Structure formats: C-alpha cells, structure tokens
Amino acid sequence: GQNIDQPTEMTATEGAIVQINCTYQTSGFNGLFWYQQHAGEAPTFLSYNVLDGLEEKGRFSSFLSRSKGYSYLLLKELQMKDSASYLCAVVIYNQGGKLIFGQGTELSVKP
Amino acid sequence: ETGVTQTPRHLVMGMTNKKSLKCEQHLGHNAMYWYKQSAKKPLELMFVYSLEERVENNSVPSRFSPECPNSSHLFLHLHTLQPEDSALYLCASSQAGLGSGANVLTFGAGSRLTVL
C-alpha cells in the first residue's frame, strides 16, 4: 500500500523558521510535490523534488532523501499570510505518474 | 479569466437531486482531474481525463459521473448522493496527463458540496 505521513497541525511565531516533515512508504517513486492551500482556496504549487538534496526558492526550501523516504518543507521569516495547509504529494511512477497526497499540515502563524 | 474556474462554489442538495459541477481551464492543458477533499483526509483522486479520454477511474461509485466534452471543460454529474459524499470537490489540470512523469497540477478553488 501507499502511506504518506505529515503532522496534522503546527504552530509557529511570525518571523521564525518552521520545518514541516513528510515521510512516505510507496511502491514506486518519481518525485515529491509540496502544495500550499489557504482556507477556501485552491492548492497552489510550491516545489518539486526528484533528486536528493535541498531546493531553495526564496523564503521556502524543500529537501528530499529518497533512501530515507523523507522530505521537509522549510519556511523562513514566517509571515501571517503563511498560515495555511501544506500538502505533501508523492508521484507514483509505476502508476503512470499518479499523485498520492498526505492529509496536509495545518500551519498557524501567530504574532 | 485565467487558471482553473469551478462553479458553483457552494452547492446544497438532497439525496434524490441531480446536479452537476463544472470546471473550465484556460491554460491550454491536456489533462483534467477531479479530486475529493474531505476534512482531515488526504485528497482522493477520482477521475483523470487526458486529451478528452478517461484514463483513470479510481473505484468511484456510479452516482458520480464525469464528462469531458473538450480539453477545456470537465463536468461531474451527481445523482442520488449520500451524506458522506459531502466534501470539497477540486478540479485540476496539467500540461500532460498520467504516464508523462511528474506533472504540476493547477487546481481550481473547489466546489463545496453538502448533501442533506
């Protein structure tokens, strides 16, 4: 079976750094996505990792370790607008590129 | 309009009603998807259309019936739904369909469905 785990909720302070972890056990792997979803809005693409290592994009960075089945999303200099749900999704190669999502991590940024 | 547009944004229906959800993408993408998002649960893939051909039907009950008349439009026809079908239904599109490696999905804002 396919299993993707993320913490359900996290709280952090404005200006701080927060790391959201995602672990996966899947049959087949062709990359991992992070999406951001504000309440009542569409999920929007943040990052895609297929090789091991860190990808940096402004205040957001995403890391992948394929051997450990582990990824994290790092958010720096947190702003109130970063309060949202963060979705981890794995591309299952042997299922034709299907995306399997985790349940999402609800991040609350407090002043 | 740009991106992926879904209508209606909110829908309340009885168990015997027939209604439809509509999705339109203005991105020139070749694949469109329906996902179900329930509270505290992962997004569940329901259907995938690639170049207007259904390529994925994820064991979805027959009371949900998709239709893709062209590459820009996708419908989800609803009939005799159950209260447990109440959820947010998200439409998405991508440049290429399943089998083309990793695709960045562009989502619509969703249709919030409540079944009474």
Side-chain angles (χ1 to χ4, degrees):
Chain A
Q2 322 289 3
N3 192 44
I4 300 176
D5 284 317
Q6 309 178 231
T8 306
E9 298 175 337
M10 297 183 72
T11 302
T13 305
E14 194 175 15
I17 299 173
V18 72
Q19 178 175 309
I20 303 174
N21 296 325
C22 173
T23 58
Y24 61 91
Q25 296 100 36
T26 57
S27 56
F29 177 87
N30 197 31
L32 186 145
F33 283 94
W34 284 97
Y35 283 85
Q36 179 192 58
Q37 186 179 21
H38 286 100
E41 297 184 15
T44 55
F45 168 76
L46 288 178
S47 67
Y48 171 68
N49 294 65
V50 66
L51 299 175
D52 286 358
L54 187 68
E55 296 274 346
E56 296 187 75
K57 199 185 289 185
R59 294 188 300 114
F60 291 10
S61 303
S62 57
F63 172 84
L64 175 67
S65 169
R66 294 177 67 139
S67 62
K68 295 182 179 176
Y70 168 67
S71 174
Y72 67 73
L73 182 69
L74 192 71
L75 291 76
K76 302 176 187 175
E77 300 167 20
L78 278 174
Q79 302 175 9
M80 299 299 289
K81 67 178 181 179
D82 297 329
S83 293
S85 184
Y86 291 85
L87 311 177
C88 171
V90 171
V91 185
I92 307 299
Y93 182 75
N94 64 357
Q95 291 186 27
K98 183 188 291 189
L99 268 182
I100 306 293
F101 280 85
Q103 68 176 18
T105 299
E106 191 70 39
L107 174 66
S108 296
V109 180
K110 302 198 180 302
Chain B
E1 290 222 44
T2 58
V4 179
T5 305
Q6 290 188 242
T7 55
R9 292 295 309 275
H10 299 273
L11 178 63
V12 179
M13 59 187 289
M15 292 168 63
T16 57
N17 290 158
K18 275 186 182 181
K19 297 285 184 182
S20 296
L21 306 181
K22 179 183 174 182
C23 176
E24 186 174 359
Q25 59 99 358
H26 310 271
L27 301 166
H29 286 170
N30 293 315
M32 297 187 76
Y33 309 73
W34 281 116
Y35 278 88
K36 177 182 178 182
Q37 188 174 36
S38 303
K40 306 298 183 186
K41 287 186 176 181
L43 267 72
E44 300 172 51
L45 179 62
M46 299 176 73
F47 301 104
V48 183
Y49 278 83
S50 182
L51 297 173
E52 300 152 46
E53 180 182 337
R54 192 191 305 181
V55 295
E56 181 84 10
N57 179 345
N58 227 18
S59 303
V60 179
S62 59
R63 57 186 184 267
F64 295 91
S65 174
E67 179 190 1
C68 187
N70 56 60
S71 60
S72 298
H73 293 87
L74 185 66
F75 294 89
L76 188 62
H77 303 299
L78 314 169
H79 176 51
T80 323
L81 294 191
Q82 306 297 312
E84 59 264 29
D85 296 323
S86 298
L88 182 68
Y89 289 85
L90 289 165
C91 173
S93 69
S94 66
Q95 181 63 46
L98 294 183
S100 303
N103 300 300
V104 177
L105 297 178
T106 302
F107 285 90
S111 294
R112 173 71 62 188
L113 174 66
T114 302
V115 182
L116 301 176

